[in-house]
Amino acid sequence: MIKSQVGTLFQCSISCITRLFSHSVSQNVVPIYRIIAVDDSYQKTGKVYVKIQVVGMSRIFDRPVSELYQKEWLKLFSREDVAHIAALYMAEHTKNLDLIKLFPKSNPSMRPSVIVVGILFSAFLILSNLAAFKLAQIGTVTFAAGLIFFPLTYIFDDILTEVYGFKVSRRVIWSAFFANTIVFIGTWLTTYLHPAPHWEQQAAYEVIYRGTPRIFIASMISYFFGEFTNSIILAKLKVLTAGRYLWLRVLASTTVGVGIDTILFMHIGFLFIIPYSEIWAVIMTMYFIKVVYEVCAIPITYKVSNYLKKKDNVDYYDFKTQFNPFSLRV
């Protein structure tokens, strides 16, 4: 029964679209507006309202679907949004409002760009952990070499959340978590393989890849809480500010996220091993470097985010998102 209703709804939508403007939409290459959410109030009022964003701008406003279902409005949307508007209009017109939830929605996680950014995110997370065993020094400041790469994961997290939303970022965070765990366990196991007689680097190999489990656990726990805190704050601030002030939102989410990350890592990894005063000295140094890193990268975050928004025609707002870090639903 439901399938037949959905089929009828879609057929009516296509028929109405064709009747309204058979050639205008095909000529519309660059959409001016995009639908970012459907207001849930239709369940009580029987009237369907949608939230609309001006493409390339932070302006968001509400419009009834009955108003949008006009040729003058429809030609300003993408084909995907036009089909959505038509389906919403027919659901309202025929009083089959429950069918609105069944309309197939665009899935941001299916964009090729998400895969590319996700791979970079995972690669730099793994690289930062492998490089953490190298101590480097610039002037009088000594730091783990992994600190050069790890802040990049926050930049990629910012881009994913800003463009594709928290749910896509959440899946990438978990994917990188499992990838890093596989690399750690795999390299750790290889240290127990009997070395070839002519290979004399076994001791050095063990030093690098037999890192203490405590450091690995500290790294993973701090990564989990830091990245998710960053993504959740950024997503919520985007809704609160209607997409404005990206620089401020990025700074706010990152300063909190890297703060939690650094504090957890140093306490879990080094509490009762080094003096407590030194723990806080290292925390302040690492925190300062990470925040400065993020500030310098803000122009890159702007450029890449704007490029992906235009390329994929996506600018996701987490209006109805359940910010549960343990769910993998997109």
Side-chain angles (χ1 to χ4, degrees), residues 130 133 187 191 195 199-211:
L130 294 177
F133 295 97
T187 53
T191 64
W199 194 66
E200 301 177 354
Q201 284 75 42
Q202 176 67 17
Y205 187 84
E206 290 179 2
V207 170
I208 298 299
Y209 291 122
R210 208 179 274 185

Side-chain angles (χ1 to χ4, degrees), residues 13 35 38 48 50 65 83-93 100:
S13 301
I35 296 176
V38 178
V48 181
V50 295
V65 73
H84 197 179
I85 292 170
L88 292 173
Y89 176 81
M90 294 306 300
E92 178 185 275
H93 186 69
I100 292 177

